[in-house]
Amino acid sequence: MGSRRFRKSYRLINRKRRVNSKTQRNKRTRAEFNKKFILNFTRTKLSNEEILLLSKGTKFVPSPNIFHVRNNIMADFIELARKMRCRFCYSNTSENTELHPLYLKTGHVPPRCNNALENYITDTMLAISSLEVNSFKDNLSRVERKSLVKISNNSEIYISKADKNNTTVLIDKNNYTRAGENHLRSIYYVELEQPNTASISKR
């Protein structure tokens, strides 16, 4: 009886090993095929999971974490509410003011100004807080999700899309900055003694 159980468990272990080895072979094959969609100009050696992730392209949108969906929606609506308050408090239809070409967003939070607007914002925030999020299928595996976090936290590389095709390009950030500085020092650019934003805004 004990020998039968041992043989059965041994078969299950061998079956799992065969499945895992087959999965790894398929992953290596897919990674070798997708290497042509990635140009790596860094010293970082990419794993198979990172190659499969980067080969999806820069326009690929990972599915959000189901535990953070409600918080993300709430954060987006809070920003929308801020803009609505700014529009109500500071917009003046009688004056046609044009924004400066080098205008920077301040992130100013205006005070509460209108009861109808505040009631709408409050009701919407209550509806979002009680929102039920349905489960959905993740378009990334667990290993690819870890690779995404690892690549996102790597501050030494710059990821961009190639100019003429859908290839994903990885460049060392220091080399990329140095190339940009060398380009600005060329004969095609001249450093201005004084800013000419007034003449630019009139164009």
Short mmCIF file of all heavy atoms in Angstrom, two decimals, residues 59-116:
data_model
loop_
_atom_site.label_atom_id
_atom_site.label_comp_id
_atom_site.label_asym_id
_atom_site.label_seq_id
_atom_site.Cartn_x
_atom_site.Cartn_y
_atom_site.Cartn_z
N LYS A 59 2.79 51.09 -25.92
CA LYS A 59 1.37 51.42 -25.83
C LYS A 59 0.56 50.36 -25.09
O LYS A 59 -0.65 50.49 -24.95
CB LYS A 59 0.78 51.63 -27.23
CG LYS A 59 1.34 52.85 -27.95
CD LYS A 59 0.64 53.07 -29.27
CE LYS A 59 1.17 54.32 -29.97
NZ LYS A 59 0.49 54.55 -31.27
N PHE A 60 1.22 49.32 -24.65
CA PHE A 60 0.53 48.27 -23.91
C PHE A 60 0.11 48.80 -22.54
O PHE A 60 0.88 49.45 -21.84
CB PHE A 60 1.46 47.06 -23.75
CG PHE A 60 0.91 45.99 -22.85
CD1 PHE A 60 -0.10 45.16 -23.29
CD2 PHE A 60 1.40 45.84 -21.56
CE1 PHE A 60 -0.61 44.17 -22.46
CE2 PHE A 60 0.90 44.86 -20.73
CZ PHE A 60 -0.10 44.02 -21.18
N VAL A 61 -1.13 48.53 -22.18
CA VAL A 61 -1.68 49.01 -20.90
C VAL A 61 -1.92 47.81 -19.99
O VAL A 61 -2.81 46.99 -20.26
CB VAL A 61 -3.00 49.78 -21.12
CG1 VAL A 61 -3.55 50.27 -19.78
CG2 VAL A 61 -2.79 50.95 -22.07
N PRO A 62 -1.15 47.66 -18.93
CA PRO A 62 -1.40 46.55 -18.01
C PRO A 62 -2.72 46.74 -17.28
O PRO A 62 -3.13 47.86 -16.98
CB PRO A 62 -0.21 46.62 -17.04
CG PRO A 62 0.79 47.50 -17.69
CD PRO A 62 0.03 48.44 -18.56
N SER A 63 -3.38 45.65 -17.03
CA SER A 63 -4.63 45.73 -16.28
C SER A 63 -4.34 46.20 -14.86
O SER A 63 -3.36 45.77 -14.25
CB SER A 63 -5.33 44.37 -16.25
OG SER A 63 -4.47 43.39 -15.69
N PRO A 64 -5.15 47.09 -14.32
CA PRO A 64 -4.87 47.62 -12.98
C PRO A 64 -5.10 46.57 -11.90
O PRO A 64 -5.78 45.56 -12.11
CB PRO A 64 -5.87 48.77 -12.85
CG PRO A 64 -6.99 48.40 -13.76
CD PRO A 64 -6.37 47.67 -14.91
N ASN A 65 -4.52 46.84 -10.77
CA ASN A 65 -4.72 45.97 -9.62
C ASN A 65 -6.14 46.12 -9.13
O ASN A 65 -6.62 47.24 -8.90
CB ASN A 65 -3.72 46.32 -8.51
CG ASN A 65 -3.68 45.26 -7.42
OD1 ASN A 65 -4.62 44.49 -7.25
ND2 ASN A 65 -2.59 45.22 -6.69
N ILE A 66 -6.84 45.02 -8.95
CA ILE A 66 -8.25 45.08 -8.57
C ILE A 66 -8.44 45.71 -7.19
O ILE A 66 -9.48 46.30 -6.89
CB ILE A 66 -8.86 43.66 -8.61
CG1 ILE A 66 -10.38 43.74 -8.48
CG2 ILE A 66 -8.25 42.77 -7.55
CD1 ILE A 66 -11.07 42.42 -8.70
N PHE A 67 -7.41 45.63 -6.35
CA PHE A 67 -7.52 46.20 -5.01
C PHE A 67 -7.34 47.72 -5.02
O PHE A 67 -7.69 48.38 -4.05
CB PHE A 67 -6.48 45.56 -4.09
CG PHE A 67 -6.63 44.07 -3.96
CD1 PHE A 67 -5.76 43.22 -4.61
CD2 PHE A 67 -7.65 43.52 -3.20
CE1 PHE A 67 -5.89 41.85 -4.50
CE2 PHE A 67 -7.80 42.15 -3.09
CZ PHE A 67 -6.92 41.31 -3.74
N HIS A 68 -6.79 48.28 -6.12
CA HIS A 68 -6.54 49.71 -6.19
C HIS A 68 -7.44 50.42 -7.19
O HIS A 68 -7.25 51.62 -7.42
CB HIS A 68 -5.07 49.97 -6.57
CG HIS A 68 -4.10 49.41 -5.58
ND1 HIS A 68 -2.79 49.12 -5.90
CD2 HIS A 68 -4.24 49.06 -4.28
CE1 HIS A 68 -2.17 48.63 -4.84
NE2 HIS A 68 -3.03 48.58 -3.85
N VAL A 69 -8.38 49.71 -7.79
CA VAL A 69 -9.22 50.33 -8.82
C VAL A 69 -10.06 51.45 -8.23
O VAL A 69 -10.13 52.56 -8.77
CB VAL A 69 -10.12 49.25 -9.47
CG1 VAL A 69 -11.17 49.91 -10.34
CG2 VAL A 69 -9.28 48.30 -10.31
N ARG A 70 -10.69 51.19 -7.09
CA ARG A 70 -11.55 52.20 -6.48
C ARG A 70 -10.74 53.42 -6.05
O ARG A 70 -11.18 54.56 -6.22
CB ARG A 70 -12.30 51.61 -5.28
CG ARG A 70 -13.39 52.52 -4.74
CD ARG A 70 -14.07 51.93 -3.52
NE ARG A 70 -14.82 50.73 -3.86
CZ ARG A 70 -14.45 49.50 -3.52
NH1 ARG A 70 -13.32 49.31 -2.84
NH2 ARG A 70 -15.18 48.46 -3.84
N ASN A 71 -9.55 53.20 -5.52
CA ASN A 71 -8.71 54.33 -5.10
C ASN A 71 -8.25 55.15 -6.31
O ASN A 71 -8.18 56.38 -6.23
CB ASN A 71 -7.50 53.82 -4.32
CG ASN A 71 -7.89 53.18 -3.00
OD1 ASN A 71 -8.94 53.50 -2.44
ND2 ASN A 71 -7.07 52.27 -2.51
N ASN A 72 -7.95 54.47 -7.41
CA ASN A 72 -7.53 55.20 -8.61
C ASN A 72 -8.66 56.04 -9.18
O ASN A 72 -8.45 57.19 -9.61
CB ASN A 72 -7.03 54.21 -9.67
CG ASN A 72 -5.76 53.50 -9.24
OD1 ASN A 72 -5.02 54.00 -8.40
ND2 ASN A 72 -5.50 52.33 -9.81
N ILE A 73 -9.87 55.48 -9.18
CA ILE A 73 -11.02 56.24 -9.67
C ILE A 73 -11.29 57.44 -8.77
O ILE A 73 -11.58 58.55 -9.25
CB ILE A 73 -12.26 55.33 -9.76
CG1 ILE A 73 -12.03 54.22 -10.79
CG2 ILE A 73 -13.50 56.13 -10.13
CD1 ILE A 73 -13.16 53.21 -10.86
N MET A 74 -11.16 57.24 -7.47
CA MET A 74 -11.38 58.34 -6.53
C MET A 74 -10.33 59.44 -6.72
O MET A 74 -10.66 60.64 -6.69
CB MET A 74 -11.35 57.82 -5.10
CG MET A 74 -11.61 58.88 -4.04
SD MET A 74 -13.29 59.55 -4.12
CE MET A 74 -14.22 58.17 -3.43
N ALA A 75 -9.08 59.06 -6.92
CA ALA A 75 -8.03 60.06 -7.13
C ALA A 75 -8.27 60.85 -8.41
O ALA A 75 -8.08 62.08 -8.44
CB ALA A 75 -6.67 59.38 -7.16
N ASP A 76 -8.70 60.18 -9.47
CA ASP A 76 -9.00 60.88 -10.72
C ASP A 76 -10.17 61.84 -10.55
O ASP A 76 -10.16 62.95 -11.10
CB ASP A 76 -9.29 59.87 -11.83
CG ASP A 76 -8.07 59.06 -12.21
OD1 ASP A 76 -6.95 59.52 -11.93
OD2 ASP A 76 -8.24 57.96 -12.78
N PHE A 77 -11.19 61.42 -9.80
CA PHE A 77 -12.34 62.30 -9.62
C PHE A 77 -11.99 63.50 -8.73
O PHE A 77 -12.52 64.60 -8.93
CB PHE A 77 -13.51 61.53 -9.02
CG PHE A 77 -14.73 62.40 -8.83
CD1 PHE A 77 -15.51 62.77 -9.91
CD2 PHE A 77 -15.08 62.86 -7.57
CE1 PHE A 77 -16.62 63.58 -9.74
CE2 PHE A 77 -16.18 63.67 -7.39
CZ PHE A 77 -16.96 64.04 -8.48
N ILE A 78 -11.12 63.31 -7.75
CA ILE A 78 -10.70 64.44 -6.92
C ILE A 78 -9.98 65.49 -7.76
O ILE A 78 -10.18 66.70 -7.59
CB ILE A 78 -9.81 63.94 -5.77
CG1 ILE A 78 -10.65 63.14 -4.76
CG2 ILE A 78 -9.11 65.09 -5.06
CD1 ILE A 78 -9.84 62.49 -3.67
N GLU A 79 -9.16 65.04 -8.70
CA GLU A 79 -8.50 65.98 -9.61
C GLU A 79 -9.52 66.68 -10.51
O GLU A 79 -9.42 67.88 -10.78
CB GLU A 79 -7.47 65.24 -10.45
CG GLU A 79 -6.75 66.08 -11.48
CD GLU A 79 -5.93 67.21 -10.88
OE1 GLU A 79 -5.61 67.14 -9.67
OE2 GLU A 79 -5.62 68.17 -11.61
N LEU A 80 -10.53 65.93 -10.97
CA LEU A 80 -11.59 66.54 -11.77
C LEU A 80 -12.37 67.56 -10.96
O LEU A 80 -12.72 68.64 -11.47
CB LEU A 80 -12.52 65.45 -12.30
CG LEU A 80 -13.75 65.94 -13.09
CD1 LEU A 80 -13.34 66.69 -14.34
CD2 LEU A 80 -14.66 64.77 -13.44
N ALA A 81 -12.66 67.24 -9.70
CA ALA A 81 -13.38 68.19 -8.84
C ALA A 81 -12.57 69.46 -8.62
O ALA A 81 -13.13 70.57 -8.57
CB ALA A 81 -13.70 67.52 -7.51
N ARG A 82 -11.27 69.32 -8.49
CA ARG A 82 -10.42 70.51 -8.34
C ARG A 82 -10.51 71.41 -9.56
O ARG A 82 -10.63 72.65 -9.46
CB ARG A 82 -8.97 70.08 -8.10
CG ARG A 82 -8.01 71.23 -7.81
CD ARG A 82 -6.57 70.75 -7.82
NE ARG A 82 -6.15 70.41 -9.16
CZ ARG A 82 -5.72 71.31 -10.06
NH1 ARG A 82 -5.67 72.59 -9.74
NH2 ARG A 82 -5.33 70.92 -11.25
N LYS A 83 -10.47 70.81 -10.74
CA LYS A 83 -10.57 71.59 -11.97
C LYS A 83 -11.95 72.24 -12.12
O LYS A 83 -12.06 73.37 -12.62
CB LYS A 83 -10.27 70.70 -13.17
CG LYS A 83 -8.83 70.21 -13.22
CD LYS A 83 -8.59 69.33 -14.43
CE LYS A 83 -7.14 68.85 -14.48
NZ LYS A 83 -6.89 67.97 -15.65
N MET A 84 -12.99 71.54 -11.69
CA MET A 84 -14.33 72.11 -11.76
C MET A 84 -14.46 73.31 -10.83
O MET A 84 -15.07 74.33 -11.19
CB MET A 84 -15.37 71.04 -11.41
CG MET A 84 -15.46 69.92 -12.43
SD MET A 84 -16.47 68.53 -11.87
CE MET A 84 -18.07 69.29 -11.78
N ARG A 85 -13.88 73.22 -9.64
CA ARG A 85 -13.91 74.36 -8.72
C ARG A 85 -13.12 75.54 -9.28
O ARG A 85 -13.53 76.70 -9.16
CB ARG A 85 -13.35 73.95 -7.36
CG ARG A 85 -14.23 72.99 -6.58
CD ARG A 85 -13.74 72.84 -5.15
NE ARG A 85 -14.53 71.91 -4.37
CZ ARG A 85 -14.13 70.68 -4.06
NH1 ARG A 85 -12.95 70.24 -4.47
NH2 ARG A 85 -14.91 69.88 -3.34
N CYS A 86 -11.97 75.24 -9.88
CA CYS A 86 -11.18 76.32 -10.50
C CYS A 86 -11.94 76.98 -11.63
O CYS A 86 -11.92 78.22 -11.77
CB CYS A 86 -9.85 75.75 -11.01
SG CYS A 86 -8.67 75.30 -9.73
N ARG A 87 -12.61 76.19 -12.44
CA ARG A 87 -13.38 76.75 -13.54
C ARG A 87 -14.52 77.63 -13.02
O ARG A 87 -14.81 78.69 -13.58
CB ARG A 87 -13.93 75.62 -14.41
CG ARG A 87 -14.79 76.06 -15.58
CD ARG A 87 -13.98 76.86 -16.58
NE ARG A 87 -12.95 76.05 -17.18
CZ ARG A 87 -13.13 75.30 -18.27
NH1 ARG A 87 -14.32 75.25 -18.84
NH2 ARG A 87 -12.13 74.61 -18.77
N PHE A 88 -15.16 77.20 -11.95
CA PHE A 88 -16.28 77.98 -11.43
C PHE A 88 -15.81 79.26 -10.75
O PHE A 88 -16.44 80.32 -10.87
CB PHE A 88 -17.09 77.14 -10.43
CG PHE A 88 -18.31 77.83 -9.90
CD1 PHE A 88 -19.50 77.78 -10.60
CD2 PHE A 88 -18.27 78.52 -8.70
CE1 PHE A 88 -20.63 78.43 -10.12
CE2 PHE A 88 -19.39 79.16 -8.21
CZ PHE A 88 -20.57 79.12 -8.93
N CYS A 89 -14.70 79.19 -10.02
CA CYS A 89 -14.25 80.35 -9.23
C CYS A 89 -13.51 81.38 -10.06
O CYS A 89 -13.67 82.59 -9.84
CB CYS A 89 -13.36 79.87 -8.08
SG CYS A 89 -14.21 78.88 -6.84
N TYR A 90 -12.71 80.93 -11.01
CA TYR A 90 -11.77 81.85 -11.65
C TYR A 90 -12.04 82.09 -13.13
O TYR A 90 -11.36 82.92 -13.74
CB TYR A 90 -10.34 81.33 -11.49
CG TYR A 90 -9.96 81.06 -10.06
CD1 TYR A 90 -9.59 79.78 -9.65
CD2 TYR A 90 -9.98 82.07 -9.12
CE1 TYR A 90 -9.25 79.53 -8.34
CE2 TYR A 90 -9.65 81.82 -7.80
CZ TYR A 90 -9.28 80.55 -7.41
OH TYR A 90 -8.96 80.30 -6.11
N SER A 91 -12.98 81.39 -13.72
CA SER A 91 -13.24 81.62 -15.14
C SER A 91 -14.02 82.90 -15.32
O SER A 91 -14.95 83.21 -14.56
CB SER A 91 -14.02 80.44 -15.74
OG SER A 91 -15.29 80.34 -15.13
N ASN A 92 -13.65 83.65 -16.32
CA ASN A 92 -14.32 84.91 -16.64
C ASN A 92 -14.57 84.93 -18.13
O ASN A 92 -13.66 85.06 -18.94
CB ASN A 92 -13.45 86.11 -16.21
CG ASN A 92 -14.21 87.42 -16.32
OD1 ASN A 92 -15.37 87.45 -16.74
ND2 ASN A 92 -13.57 88.50 -15.91
N THR A 93 -15.83 84.77 -18.50
CA THR A 93 -16.17 84.68 -19.92
C THR A 93 -16.05 86.02 -20.64
O THR A 93 -15.99 86.07 -21.86
CB THR A 93 -17.60 84.15 -20.08
OG1 THR A 93 -18.50 85.01 -19.35
CG2 THR A 93 -17.71 82.74 -19.53
N SER A 94 -16.00 87.13 -19.88
CA SER A 94 -15.93 88.43 -20.53
C SER A 94 -14.53 88.74 -21.05
O SER A 94 -14.35 89.58 -21.92
CB SER A 94 -16.36 89.54 -19.56
OG SER A 94 -15.50 89.57 -18.43
N GLU A 95 -13.52 88.07 -20.51
CA GLU A 95 -12.14 88.31 -20.93
C GLU A 95 -11.60 87.08 -21.63
O GLU A 95 -11.71 85.96 -21.13
CB GLU A 95 -11.26 88.64 -19.73
CG GLU A 95 -11.66 89.92 -19.00
CD GLU A 95 -10.75 90.20 -17.83
OE1 GLU A 95 -9.79 89.40 -17.65
OE2 GLU A 95 -10.97 91.20 -17.13
N ASN A 96 -11.01 87.28 -22.79
CA ASN A 96 -10.39 86.20 -23.54
C ASN A 96 -8.89 86.21 -23.27
O ASN A 96 -8.11 86.83 -23.98
CB ASN A 96 -10.67 86.36 -25.04
CG ASN A 96 -12.15 86.21 -25.36
OD1 ASN A 96 -12.84 85.43 -24.71
ND2 ASN A 96 -12.62 86.97 -26.33
N THR A 97 -8.51 85.57 -22.19
CA THR A 97 -7.10 85.52 -21.82
C THR A 97 -6.47 84.26 -22.40
O THR A 97 -7.01 83.17 -22.29
CB THR A 97 -6.95 85.52 -20.29
OG1 THR A 97 -7.66 84.40 -19.76
CG2 THR A 97 -7.51 86.81 -19.70
N GLU A 98 -5.31 84.44 -23.02
CA GLU A 98 -4.58 83.32 -23.59
C GLU A 98 -3.50 82.87 -22.62
O GLU A 98 -2.85 83.68 -21.97
CB GLU A 98 -3.95 83.73 -24.92
CG GLU A 98 -4.97 84.08 -26.00
CD GLU A 98 -4.30 84.43 -27.31
OE1 GLU A 98 -3.05 84.42 -27.34
OE2 GLU A 98 -5.02 84.71 -28.28
N LEU A 99 -3.33 81.57 -22.54
CA LEU A 99 -2.32 81.02 -21.64
C LEU A 99 -0.93 81.26 -22.19
O LEU A 99 -0.71 81.28 -23.41
CB LEU A 99 -2.55 79.52 -21.44
CG LEU A 99 -3.83 79.12 -20.71
CD1 LEU A 99 -3.93 77.60 -20.65
CD2 LEU A 99 -3.86 79.70 -19.31
N HIS A 100 -0.01 81.45 -21.30
CA HIS A 100 1.38 81.63 -21.68
C HIS A 100 1.90 80.33 -22.30
O HIS A 100 1.55 79.23 -21.85
CB HIS A 100 2.21 82.01 -20.45
CG HIS A 100 3.57 82.53 -20.78
ND1 HIS A 100 4.64 81.69 -21.00
CD2 HIS A 100 4.03 83.79 -20.94
CE1 HIS A 100 5.71 82.42 -21.27
NE2 HIS A 100 5.37 83.69 -21.24
N PRO A 101 2.75 80.40 -23.33
CA PRO A 101 3.24 79.15 -23.95
C PRO A 101 4.07 78.29 -22.99
O PRO A 101 4.16 77.08 -23.19
CB PRO A 101 4.08 79.65 -25.13
CG PRO A 101 4.38 81.07 -24.82
CD PRO A 101 3.21 81.59 -24.05
N LEU A 102 4.66 78.90 -21.98
CA LEU A 102 5.45 78.15 -21.00
C LEU A 102 4.71 78.05 -19.67
O LEU A 102 5.33 78.01 -18.61
CB LEU A 102 6.82 78.82 -20.80
CG LEU A 102 7.66 79.00 -22.07
CD1 LEU A 102 8.97 79.69 -21.74
CD2 LEU A 102 7.92 77.65 -22.74
N TYR A 103 3.39 77.99 -19.73
CA TYR A 103 2.58 77.93 -18.52
C TYR A 103 2.78 76.61 -17.79
O TYR A 103 2.82 75.54 -18.40
CB TYR A 103 1.11 78.10 -18.89
CG TYR A 103 0.14 77.84 -17.77
CD1 TYR A 103 -0.05 78.78 -16.76
CD2 TYR A 103 -0.58 76.66 -17.72
CE1 TYR A 103 -0.93 78.54 -15.73
CE2 TYR A 103 -1.47 76.41 -16.69
CZ TYR A 103 -1.64 77.36 -15.70
OH TYR A 103 -2.51 77.11 -14.68
N LEU A 104 2.95 76.70 -16.48
CA LEU A 104 3.12 75.52 -15.64
C LEU A 104 1.90 75.37 -14.74
O LEU A 104 1.40 76.35 -14.18
CB LEU A 104 4.39 75.65 -14.78
CG LEU A 104 5.72 75.71 -15.53
CD1 LEU A 104 6.87 75.90 -14.55
CD2 LEU A 104 5.94 74.45 -16.36
N LYS A 105 1.44 74.15 -14.58
CA LYS A 105 0.30 73.88 -13.72
C LYS A 105 0.72 74.03 -12.26
O LYS A 105 1.75 73.51 -11.84
CB LYS A 105 -0.23 72.48 -13.98
CG LYS A 105 -0.78 72.29 -15.38
CD LYS A 105 -1.33 70.89 -15.57
CE LYS A 105 -1.88 70.70 -16.97
NZ LYS A 105 -2.43 69.33 -17.17
N THR A 106 -0.10 74.74 -11.50
CA THR A 106 0.23 75.01 -10.10
C THR A 106 -0.35 73.98 -9.15
O THR A 106 0.14 73.82 -8.04
CB THR A 106 -0.28 76.40 -9.70
OG1 THR A 106 -1.71 76.45 -9.87
CG2 THR A 106 0.35 77.47 -10.57
N GLY A 107 -1.42 73.30 -9.55
CA GLY A 107 -2.07 72.36 -8.64
C GLY A 107 -2.84 73.05 -7.53
O GLY A 107 -3.06 72.46 -6.46
N HIS A 108 -3.25 74.29 -7.76
CA HIS A 108 -3.96 75.06 -6.74
C HIS A 108 -5.30 74.42 -6.43
O HIS A 108 -6.03 73.99 -7.32
CB HIS A 108 -4.16 76.49 -7.24
CG HIS A 108 -5.08 77.30 -6.38
ND1 HIS A 108 -4.77 77.67 -5.10
CD2 HIS A 108 -6.32 77.80 -6.63
CE1 HIS A 108 -5.76 78.37 -4.59
NE2 HIS A 108 -6.72 78.46 -5.50
N VAL A 109 -5.63 74.35 -5.14
CA VAL A 109 -6.91 73.80 -4.68
C VAL A 109 -7.78 74.97 -4.23
O VAL A 109 -7.52 75.58 -3.19
CB VAL A 109 -6.72 72.81 -3.53
CG1 VAL A 109 -8.06 72.26 -3.07
CG2 VAL A 109 -5.80 71.67 -3.97
N PRO A 110 -8.80 75.33 -4.98
CA PRO A 110 -9.64 76.48 -4.61
C PRO A 110 -10.58 76.13 -3.46
O PRO A 110 -10.83 74.95 -3.18
CB PRO A 110 -10.42 76.76 -5.90
CG PRO A 110 -10.51 75.44 -6.57
CD PRO A 110 -9.23 74.72 -6.24
N PRO A 111 -11.12 77.13 -2.79
CA PRO A 111 -12.08 76.85 -1.71
C PRO A 111 -13.43 76.41 -2.27
O PRO A 111 -13.71 76.55 -3.46
CB PRO A 111 -12.19 78.21 -1.00
CG PRO A 111 -11.86 79.21 -2.06
CD PRO A 111 -10.83 78.56 -2.95
N ARG A 112 -14.26 75.89 -1.40
CA ARG A 112 -15.60 75.51 -1.81
C ARG A 112 -16.41 76.76 -2.12
O ARG A 112 -16.41 77.72 -1.35
CB ARG A 112 -16.27 74.70 -0.71
CG ARG A 112 -15.54 73.41 -0.40
CD ARG A 112 -16.33 72.54 0.54
NE ARG A 112 -15.65 71.27 0.76
CZ ARG A 112 -16.17 70.25 1.44
NH1 ARG A 112 -17.39 70.37 1.95
NH2 ARG A 112 -15.49 69.13 1.59
N CYS A 113 -17.12 76.72 -3.24
CA CYS A 113 -17.70 77.97 -3.74
C CYS A 113 -19.19 77.89 -4.03
O CYS A 113 -19.91 78.86 -3.83
CB CYS A 113 -16.95 78.41 -5.00
SG CYS A 113 -16.71 77.08 -6.19
N ASN A 114 -19.70 76.75 -4.47
CA ASN A 114 -21.09 76.67 -4.90
C ASN A 114 -21.73 75.44 -4.28
O ASN A 114 -21.15 74.35 -4.30
CB ASN A 114 -21.16 76.61 -6.43
CG ASN A 114 -22.58 76.59 -6.93
OD1 ASN A 114 -23.14 75.53 -7.13
ND2 ASN A 114 -23.16 77.76 -7.13
N ASN A 115 -22.94 75.62 -3.74
CA ASN A 115 -23.61 74.51 -3.06
C ASN A 115 -24.00 73.39 -4.03
O ASN A 115 -23.85 72.20 -3.71
CB ASN A 115 -24.86 75.02 -2.34
CG ASN A 115 -24.51 75.92 -1.16
OD1 ASN A 115 -23.44 75.76 -0.56
ND2 ASN A 115 -25.39 76.85 -0.84
N ALA A 116 -24.49 73.76 -5.19
CA ALA A 116 -24.90 72.73 -6.16
C ALA A 116 -23.69 71.92 -6.62
O ALA A 116 -23.76 70.68 -6.73
CB ALA A 116 -25.59 73.39 -7.35
#
